């Protein structure tokens, strides 16, 4: 049965999608079956892996709100071995519709993923940059949350807010939700700010923070334009090495991928 990990931080542009794509890809290179769920109406994970092919293609919206079987919307990766449940702009209105449901509005994603949970080792959910109902659905479906934190000012405020939301979900709809870890992203060891923020986050959250940070690496921002993860784009670059190391650390594996 798949372990479900939500990649979440309500702050925009902190590296959620980049982490979701490259963690999923690293896991698949380890021989694990991975489903990447795009849960953001921006559709960045879907676009970054070339998973949106034609108009009216079924997406997670049809699964969540129109009862389409989840298997009918899953796209099999072309250049990567990851399966993708894509999203597009139609998801933008979903939370309003979901909010009108009388019961079970937090559990729609959990229920939608249930039929495929046995088919995968990991299901990775790329969350939107908000703390609305979509995020609550992701946290209710998940076993754990992985939190990317960008090395910049105000990093801590966002995390504190997210931790409150996690506690709320633990109390209401998912008592077993754990924090998988916090990963520092876009780390630039040459800047004082990166070093200071990273130190502050480590002092505040201690062992929740992964030893491996993700450096700022332009190749990580280029790979999506080719529809591939960093491991197909340039397996030797710093970004690829960092995501491979992070994945090993998450799985408690010592040797190289
Ligand atoms: N380590 C990195 N080095 C360089 N660029 C990066 C890195 N991580 C992410 N980026 C770039 O920064 C931008 C934001 O990253 P990303 O889309 O992963 O963030 P996000 O948290 O998913 O954003 P949103 O909140 O809008 O969904 C993207 O252009 C991405 O390519
Ligand atoms: Mg994103």
């Amino acid at each position: 049965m798949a372990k479900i990990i939500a990649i979440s931080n309500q702050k925009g542009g902190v590296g959620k999608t980049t982490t979701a794509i490259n963690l999923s890809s690293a896991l698949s290179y380890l021989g694990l079956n991975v489903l990447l769920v795009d849960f953001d109406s921006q559709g960045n994970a879907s676009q970054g892996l070339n998973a949106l092919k034609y108009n009216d293609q079924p997406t997670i919206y049809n699964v969540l709100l129109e009862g389409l079987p989840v298997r009918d919307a899953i796209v099999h990766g072309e250049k990567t071995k990851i399966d993708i449940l894509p999203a597009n702009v139609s998801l933008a209105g979903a939370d309003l519709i979901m909010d009108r449901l009388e019961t079970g509005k937090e559990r729609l994603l959990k229920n939608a993923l249930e039929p495929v949970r046995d088919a995968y080792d990991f299901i990775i959910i790329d969350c939107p940059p908000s703390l609305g109902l979509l995020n609550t659905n992701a946290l209710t479906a998940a076993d754990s949350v992985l939190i990317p934190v960008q090395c910049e000012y105000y990093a801590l405020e966002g995390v504190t807010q997210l931790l409150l939301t996690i506690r709320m979900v633990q109390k209401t709809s998912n008592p077993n939700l754990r924090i998988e870890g916090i990963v520092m992203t876009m780390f630039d060891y040459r800047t004082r700010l990166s070093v200071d923020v990273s130190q502050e986050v480590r002092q505040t959250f201690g062992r929740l923070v992964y030893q491996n940070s993700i450096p700022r690496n332009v190749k990580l921002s280029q790979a999506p334009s080719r529809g591939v993860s960093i491991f197909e784009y340039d397996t030797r670059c710093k970004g690829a090495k960092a995501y491979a190391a992070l994945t090993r650390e998450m799985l408690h594996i010592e040797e190289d991928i």
Side-chain angles (χ1 to χ4, degrees):
M1 192 161 80
K3 176 169 184 176
I4 304 183
I5 303 179
I7 315 285
S8 179
N9 187 335
Q10 79 277 15
K11 214 165 173 346
V14 298
K16 293 180 289 295
T17 302
T18 306
T19 299
I21 289 177
N22 294 308
L23 173 67
S24 297
S25 186
L27 288 167
S28 79
Y29 277 105
L30 287 168
L32 298 161
N33 284 326
V34 183
L35 173 66
L36 172 56
V37 177
D38 190 348
F39 210 36
D40 183 0
S41 62
Q42 296 179 97
N44 292 153
S46 308
Q47 291 153 9
L49 288 172
N50 234 352
L52 290 169
K53 303 276 184 206
Y54 56 93
N55 288 342
D56 299 331
Q57 182 178 334
T59 65
I60 191 161
Y61 178 90
N62 309 97
V63 177
L64 271 190
L65 290 169
E66 294 176 348
L68 183 80
V70 63
R71 284 195 174 84
D72 292 357
I74 290 176
V75 179
H76 302 290
E78 269 178 4
K79 296 174 186 164
T80 62
K81 288 183 290 175
I82 315 163
D83 281 356
I84 303 139
L85 178 52
N88 61 17
V89 71
S90 64
L91 194 62
D95 51 350
L96 286 179
I97 300 172
M98 287 154 78
D99 203 30
R100 286 193 218 121
L101 299 176
E102 293 201 347
T103 55
K105 57 185 167 190
E106 299 88 10
R107 293 177 193 277
L108 291 168
L109 181 63
K110 183 181 175 70
N111 295 339
L113 295 177
E114 206 52 51
V116 290
R117 203 163 171 183
D118 281 339
Y120 295 98
D121 299 302
F122 282 91
I123 298 179
I124 307 293
I125 307 172
D126 182 24
C127 292
S130 72
L131 288 178
L133 196 46
L134 287 179
N135 197 63
T136 312
N137 262 264
L139 298 184
T140 302
D143 296 301
S144 63
V145 198
L146 197 156
I147 308 169
V149 172
Q150 191 180 347
C151 295
E152 60 157 35
Y153 283 123
Y154 308 122
L156 275 173
E157 285 174 30
V159 183
T160 310
Q161 192 63 36
L162 177 58
L163 293 179
L164 289 174
T165 306
I166 290 172
R167 248 173 248 144
M168 191 269 290
V169 170
Q170 284 168 331
K171 276 195 197 134
T172 52
S173 53
N174 188 2
N176 298 324
L177 181 65
R178 287 182 46 243
I179 295 176
E180 189 68 42
I182 295 174
V183 57
M184 304 301 304
T185 61
M186 298 181 232
F187 183 79
D188 186 344
Y189 66 91
R190 294 164 305 184
T191 69
R192 187 69 215 233
L193 179 62
S194 264
V195 176
D196 286 353
V197 172
S198 170
Q199 269 177 4
E200 194 185 358
V201 172
R202 284 178 195 283
Q203 268 162 16
T204 310
F205 298 108
R207 293 183 57 187
L208 276 182
V209 188
Y210 289 108
Q211 290 299 318
N212 289 286
S213 303
I214 307 301
R216 194 169 270 288
N217 177 214
V218 69
K219 297 209 167 158
L220 284 169
S221 58
Q222 291 166 341
S225 65
R226 301 284 174 83
V228 295
S229 85
I230 197 64
F231 301 103
E232 293 81 34
Y233 189 71
D234 181 353
T235 192
R236 286 173 204 255
C237 73
K238 281 186 179 162
K241 288 193 170 140
Y243 273 111
L246 174 72
T247 306
R248 287 197 301 272
E249 187 179 352
M250 191 187 90
L251 296 175
H252 309 291
I253 298 176
E254 302 295 334
E255 71 272 25
D256 267 0
I257 289 183

